[in-house]
């Protein structure tokens, strides 16, 4: 398991700088500030595309040499993350933003060094324009853009790390009849292990002796405690109840259940990371366009002019293609969108997922904890004898359960408080492993048991009522004295009041809701019917959910997954948009793109609305950013030269600045329309 964890570990404070190339946030912050310090004297001493600005200080030739030295340091130090990103993009044969930036700053730097040599050492005439101003500002703006995005979007946590922590560090291994505590990494298949009350089960295994009830909600999503007896299977990471049992280990390391879930999550995240976002697509097109136009312009002007003119025009084309506005177009929208999202109880962890909203066809969602509250609430209680009232049955059961943290006990005590029923005073209360509990009230012994116990003991009870309650998704507990059933309490997982509005809203947006659950088909159908969900898949394991997501995606459909448990993690990671309930497990949250902080499923509606507004603003900003390039690149190349017009680099610089300002203002106008 340790090997598995290390294999898939991701750093908590890292950021994708381009197709898998990771950049540490602390390093990026330092690079930005150092680069900014280096940029200030460059801007002061270097003209903008040959245009002298009022604040500039020039003392030739020494200012040119100083700018060249500072520019070299900035190019190597500040440009490093872009070089790494471009390397990854080119390796994947997908040039995008990092490649475009690298091309721009590399051309600007090399030509600027040539300009310094030509102007101050060779003293050529006319003087050659340098681009140190463009080099410095592009590096700083792009570093700022990435830093803004990293600060506003929650850093990606490691879901596989959280999965590994679900297992205890040690296990009680039985060696020659003696219990010996050993690291779980030392366990092998066939080892015999003792699991005590309240402990996490250290590995997958088969129960050999003893009986207990196990809370598998963290792993399977099933809200009920599951009784375990000899030869039953248990899953590593689930929590043992009140009984102590011995088990034979059947799965460890990469063969264990959690390790397999870890691999599913890791594989899904890797597949998802290959998706291109809008900015990368636009940058990729600009890269090819600028490179093509520059080459054509160089050849044409070489034929009609001379080498110096051809080189100058080609370099100007490539420098003008530098995506200053594009560098801020997306991060500023993300910053604004994330702030709005936070005020509405949403944490946006992956902004690329927002671009998928307009393509959504299906919303797959877990039942327990997502559409339902994930805890038990008494739905019905009743006496089965003339000697006791309904409230008397509730009072006695609450007295027996008083002080217990068992989910069913919590539900019974909450019902007693709500109904203003005072629990009876009970003594000698103790658990009966695999049965329920027993205690003494007013000198008489009572027990709380399940229907399975009644069937096993051949005790009569109202099976018609039990079937009605069970088919509605309830867990039914019986109060008995000797061989007589005195009454029952039925508890069910309650549907969240906001869930119905979510389903209605999804349907109105032509998004088909689909329920995926590890729960039994009966309970699933009851909830689905009440909410109006037509497509239901029940009794699912984590790999089943992930496979279903892939099946829905196979025909080109786009899928959103909403969940809260470990069993949802692979499907959350695999879906086009993964939405985690904030009250869910850390594993689910770290696998998701969006977190509902208030655990309100209706917040998904706000997310969809905000995502559409955000995507619209992103598209507008990309048009403003790229539109500048679409107009200025051909003009800089001399497309209107036959009419006597070639774009002056100074005009290009002014237009570039205006496009950057427009992009910033447009981002700030983003709103979530209620």
């Amino acid at each position: 398991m340790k090997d598995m964890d290390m294999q898939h570990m991701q750093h908590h404070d890292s950021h994708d700088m381009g197709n898998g190339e990771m950049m540490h946030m602390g390093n990026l912050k330092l690079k930005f500030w150092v680069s900014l310090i280096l940029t200030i004297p460059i801007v002061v001493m270097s003209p903008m595309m040959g245009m002298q600005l009022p604040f500039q200080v020039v003392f030739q030739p020494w200012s040119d040499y100083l700018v060249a030295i500072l520019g070299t340091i900035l190019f190597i130090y500040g440009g490093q993350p872009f070089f790494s990103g471009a390397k990854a993009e080119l390796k994947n044969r997908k040039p995008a933003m990092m490649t475009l930036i690298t091309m721009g700053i590399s051309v600007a730097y090399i030509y600027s060094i040539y300009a310094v040599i030509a102007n101050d050492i060779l003293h050529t005439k006319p003087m050659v324009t340098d681009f140190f101003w463009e080099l410095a500002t592009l590096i700083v703006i792009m570093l700022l853009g990435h830093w803004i995005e990293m600060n506003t979007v929650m850093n990606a946590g490691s879901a596989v790390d959280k999965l590994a922590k679900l297992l205890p560090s040690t296990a009680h291994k039985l060696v020659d009849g003696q219990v010996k505590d050993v690291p779980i990494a030392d366990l092998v298949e066939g080892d015999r292990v003792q699991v005590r009350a309240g402990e996490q089960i250290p590995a997958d295994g088969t129960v050999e002796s003893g009986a207990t009830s196990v809370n598998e909600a963290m792993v399977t999503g099933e809200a009920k405690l599951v009784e375990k007896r000899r030869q039953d299977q248990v899953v590593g990471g689930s929590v043992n109840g009140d009984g102590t049992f011995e088990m034979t280990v059947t799965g460890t390391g990469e063969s264990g259940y959690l390790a397999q879930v870890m691999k599913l999550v890791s594989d899904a995240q890797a597949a998802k990371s290959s998706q291109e976002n809008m900015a990368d697509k636009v940058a990729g097109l600009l890269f090819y366009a600028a490179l093509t136009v520059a080459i054509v312009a160089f050849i044409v002007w070489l034929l009609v002019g001379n080498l110096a003119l051809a080189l100058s025009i080609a370099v100007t084309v490539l420098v003008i293609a530098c995506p200053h506005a594009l560098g801020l177009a997306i991060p500023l929208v993300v910053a604004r969108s994330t702030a709005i999202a936070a005020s509405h109880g949403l944490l946006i962890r992956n902004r690329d997922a927002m671009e998928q909203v307009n393509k959504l066809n299906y919303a797959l969602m877990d039942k327990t904890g997502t559409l339902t509250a994930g805890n038990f609430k008494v739905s019905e209680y009743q006496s089965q004898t003339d000697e006791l009232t309904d409230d008397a049955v509730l009072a006695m059961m609450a007295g027996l359960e008083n002080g217990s943290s068992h989910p069913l006990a919590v539900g019974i005590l909450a019902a007693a408080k709500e109904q203003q029923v005072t629990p009876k005073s009970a003594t000698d209360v103790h658990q009966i492993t695999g049965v329920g509990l027993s205690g003494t009230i007013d000198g008489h012994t009572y027990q709380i048991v399940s229907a399975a116990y009644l069937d096993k003991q051949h005790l009569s009870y109202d099976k018609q009522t039990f079937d009605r309650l069970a088919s509605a998704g309830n867990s039914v507990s019986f109060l008995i004295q000797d061989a007589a059933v005195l009454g029952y309490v039925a508890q069910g997982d309650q549907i969240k009041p906001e869930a119905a509005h979510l389903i209605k809203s999804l349907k109105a947006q032509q998004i088909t809701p689909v329920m995926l659950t590890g729960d039994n088909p009966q309970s699933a159908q009851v909830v689905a019917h009440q909410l109006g969900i037509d497509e239901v898949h029940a009794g699912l394991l984590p790999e089943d959910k992930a496979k279903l997501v892939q099946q829905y995606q196979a025909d080109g459909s786009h899928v959103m997954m909403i969940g809260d448990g470990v069993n949802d993690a692979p499907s959350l990671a695999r879906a086009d948009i993964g939405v985690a309930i904030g009250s869910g497990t850390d594993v689910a949250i770290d696998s998701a793109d969006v977190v509902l902080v208030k655990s309100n499923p209706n917040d998904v509606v706000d997310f969809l609305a905000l995502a559409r507004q955000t995507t619209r603003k992103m598209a507008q900003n990309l048009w403003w950013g790229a539109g500048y390039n679409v107009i200025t690149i051909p003009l800089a190349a001399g497309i209107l030269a036959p009419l006597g017009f070639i774009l002056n680099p100074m005009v290009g610089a002014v237009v570039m600045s205006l496009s950057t300002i427009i992009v910033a203002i447009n981002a700030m106008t983003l709103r979530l329309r209620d």
Side-chain angles (χ1 to χ4, degrees):
M1 179 62 72
K2 287 183 178 177
D3 292 339
M4 193 74 181
D5 184 28
M6 291 302 293
Q7 230 176 28
H8 300 290
M9 187 71 72
Q10 299 173 351
H11 200 289
H12 288 268
D13 293 327
S14 59
H15 182 66
D16 196 336
M17 295 294 289
N19 293 311
E21 191 71 26
M22 303 308 289
M23 177 69 189
H24 190 277
M25 181 168 178
N27 291 344
L28 185 61
K29 180 180 178 181
L30 178 63
K31 280 188 183 295
F32 168 74
W33 285 114
V34 172
S35 298
L36 180 61
I37 292 170
L38 291 170
T39 295
I40 292 172
I42 293 176
V43 169
V44 169
M45 292 185 286
S46 179
M48 179 175 69
M49 287 193 174
M51 180 173 61
Q52 292 287 339
L53 299 175
F55 56 80
Q56 285 177 330
V57 177
V58 178
F59 42 96
Q60 292 179 335
W62 303 111
S63 60
D64 288 349
Y65 295 149
L66 181 56
V67 166
I69 293 170
L70 294 175
T72 299
I73 297 172
L74 178 60
F75 175 69
I76 295 171
Y77 177 76
Q80 183 274 323
F82 307 117
F83 303 149
S84 299
K87 180 181 177 182
E89 289 177 354
L90 293 174
K91 184 179 179 181
N92 292 331
R93 299 179 181 178
K94 287 185 177 181
M97 186 68 76
M98 297 296 127
T99 309
L100 182 61
I101 297 167
T102 297
M103 180 181 70
I105 63 177
S106 297
V107 170
Y109 172 72
I110 294 169
Y111 192 78
S112 296
I113 293 296
Y114 158 70
V116 171
I117 295 171
N119 295 335
D120 299 312
I121 297 176
L122 301 178
H123 302 290
T124 60
K125 298 295 180 180
M127 293 185 69
V128 180
T129 301
D130 70 71
F131 295 100
F132 279 118
W133 192 96
E134 289 72 32
L135 167 72
T137 54
L138 180 60
I139 288 176
V140 168
I141 285 176
M142 295 308 299
L143 288 174
L144 175 63
H146 282 289
W147 187 25
I148 289 173
E149 192 168 351
M150 290 173 69
N151 270 329
T152 52
V153 180
M154 193 190 336
N155 292 326
S158 175
V160 292
D161 190 18
K162 296 295 194 312
L163 276 165
K165 289 179 181 177
L166 289 180
L167 291 175
S169 57
T170 59
H172 310 304
K173 182 179 177 180
L174 292 169
V175 181
D176 298 327
Q178 301 295 315
V179 176
K180 180 181 179 182
D181 287 350
V182 299
I184 63 164
D186 294 344
L187 291 179
V188 297
E189 292 184 20
D191 281 349
R192 188 143 175 153
V193 173
Q194 183 186 82
V195 183
R196 297 166 186 168
E199 292 184 338
Q200 286 179 301
I201 297 173
D204 296 1
T206 303
V207 177
E208 297 295 344
S209 65
T212 188
S213 55
V214 175
N215 182 353
E216 296 182 340
M218 288 281 284
V219 178
T220 66
E222 172 65 61
K224 302 173 185 177
L225 287 172
V226 181
E227 293 185 2
K228 300 291 183 180
R229 293 185 173 82
R230 192 172 182 278
Q231 296 305 309
D232 284 343
Q233 301 297 311
V234 291
V235 178
S238 53
V239 181
N240 185 27
D242 298 305
T244 295
F245 67 93
E246 293 179 5
M247 57 174 269
T248 297
V249 175
T250 59
T252 63
E254 295 191 12
S255 66
Y257 175 88
L258 283 182
Q260 293 172 34
V261 174
M262 288 163 69
K263 187 175 188 306
L264 285 170
V265 171
S266 183
D267 290 348
Q269 289 175 333
K272 194 171 182 177
S273 68
S274 65
Q275 293 177 344
E276 272 192 305
N277 57 47
M278 287 192 295
D280 280 339
K281 289 177 181 177
V282 171
L285 291 173
L286 277 178
F287 169 78
Y288 286 116
L291 193 60
T292 301
V293 171
I295 292 172
V296 171
F298 177 80
I299 294 172
V300 170
W301 285 104
L302 184 62
L303 294 174
V304 302
N306 55 61
L307 177 61
L309 178 61
L311 184 62
S312 174
I313 288 178
V315 169
T316 301
V317 168
L318 294 174
V319 172
I320 278 181
C322 291
H324 284 75
L326 282 181
L328 292 176
I330 299 302
L332 288 178
V333 174
V334 170
R336 176 67 178 164
S337 176
T338 305
I340 295 173
S343 67
H344 285 76
L346 300 165
L347 282 179
I348 310 297
R349 293 169 48 80
N350 177 14
R351 60 96 171 167
D352 293 345
M354 301 182 80
E355 298 176 17
Q356 307 296 321
V357 166
N358 288 326
K359 307 173 186 176
L360 279 182
N361 306 105
Y362 293 95
L364 279 55
M365 58 199 78
D366 177 49
K367 178 182 75 69
T368 306
T370 301
L371 297 173
T372 64
N375 51 43
F376 289 102
K377 184 176 181 180
V378 172
S379 57
E380 185 176 316
Y381 63 94
Q382 194 174 89
S383 171
Q384 299 286 280
T385 175
D386 295 336
E387 283 74 28
L388 295 173
T389 63
D390 295 343
D391 284 349
V393 169
L394 181 61
M396 295 175 73
M397 295 182 76
L400 293 170
E401 297 281 18
N402 204 4
S404 173
S405 59
H406 190 290
L408 294 175
V410 172
I412 290 173
L413 290 167
K417 184 177 181 180
E418 184 179 330
Q419 297 298 323
Q420 297 182 333
V421 172
T422 303
K424 288 283 189 177
S425 178
T427 59
D428 192 28
V429 177
H430 59 278
Q431 297 286 334
I432 305 174
T433 303
V435 175
L437 58 80
S438 175
T440 302
I441 299 176
D442 297 332
H444 299 283
T445 300
Y446 298 91
Q447 291 177 307
I448 297 178
V449 299
S450 65
Y453 176 81
L454 297 179
D455 289 334
K456 187 177 180 180
Q457 299 298 319
H458 305 292
L459 301 179
S460 61
Y461 62 99
D462 187 347
K463 292 188 178 182
Q464 186 175 356
T465 298
F466 171 77
D467 290 339
R468 172 180 62 81
L469 294 169
S471 64
N474 289 286
S475 178
V476 185
S477 301
F478 294 89
L479 176 69
I480 66 172
Q481 182 184 24
D482 296 328
V485 175
L486 304 180
Y488 65 82
V489 168
Q491 300 186 66
D493 195 6
Q494 304 299 301
I495 294 175
K496 290 183 178 180
E498 308 88 357
H501 181 264
L502 168 63
I503 302 304
K504 184 178 179 181
S505 176
L506 290 172
K507 288 183 174 181
Q509 297 176 58
Q510 306 303 311
I511 300 172
T512 304
V514 182
M515 182 190 293
L516 309 184
T517 179
D519 214 338
N520 63 74
Q522 275 185 320
S523 298
Q525 286 294 345
V526 170
V527 174
H529 178 72
Q530 292 180 16
L531 291 175
I533 299 175
D534 299 321
E535 295 188 38
V536 180
H537 302 272
L540 303 176
L541 295 172
E543 56 267 32
D544 299 328
K545 290 186 178 182
K547 286 176 183 175
L548 278 167
V549 170
Q550 287 180 285
Q551 287 176 21
Y552 278 97
Q553 291 172 327
D555 63 354
S557 295
H558 284 68
V559 173
M560 174 171 63
M561 174 68 194
I562 310 170
D564 72 326
V566 173
N567 65 320
D568 300 318
S571 47
L572 285 168
R574 177 72 64 178
D576 297 285
I577 303 174
V579 180
I581 300 297
S583 61
T585 67
D586 288 345
V587 179
I589 289 171
D590 281 344
S591 303
D593 303 304
V594 183
V595 180
L596 308 183
V597 177
K598 295 182 289 188
S599 302
N600 183 348
N602 206 31
D603 286 344
V604 172
V605 179
D606 281 343
F607 163 70
L608 295 175
L610 179 61
R612 288 192 172 94
Q613 291 292 329
T614 300
T615 303
R616 190 174 296 118
K617 285 293 181 184
M618 286 180 177
Q620 291 170 359
N621 269 9
L622 288 174
W623 273 111
W624 280 112
Y628 150 79
N629 298 90
V630 170
I631 296 171
T632 55
I633 287 175
L635 293 178
I639 193 171
L640 296 182
L643 301 178
F645 177 81
I646 296 179
L647 180 69
N648 188 312
M650 289 185 290
V651 176
V654 172
V655 176
M656 176 189 69
S657 300
L658 287 175
S659 68
T660 304
I661 293 170
I662 291 171
V663 159
I665 293 173
N666 190 47
M668 292 303 103
T669 61
L670 176 65
R671 298 283 187 277
L672 174 59
R673 298 195 181 108
D674 296 323

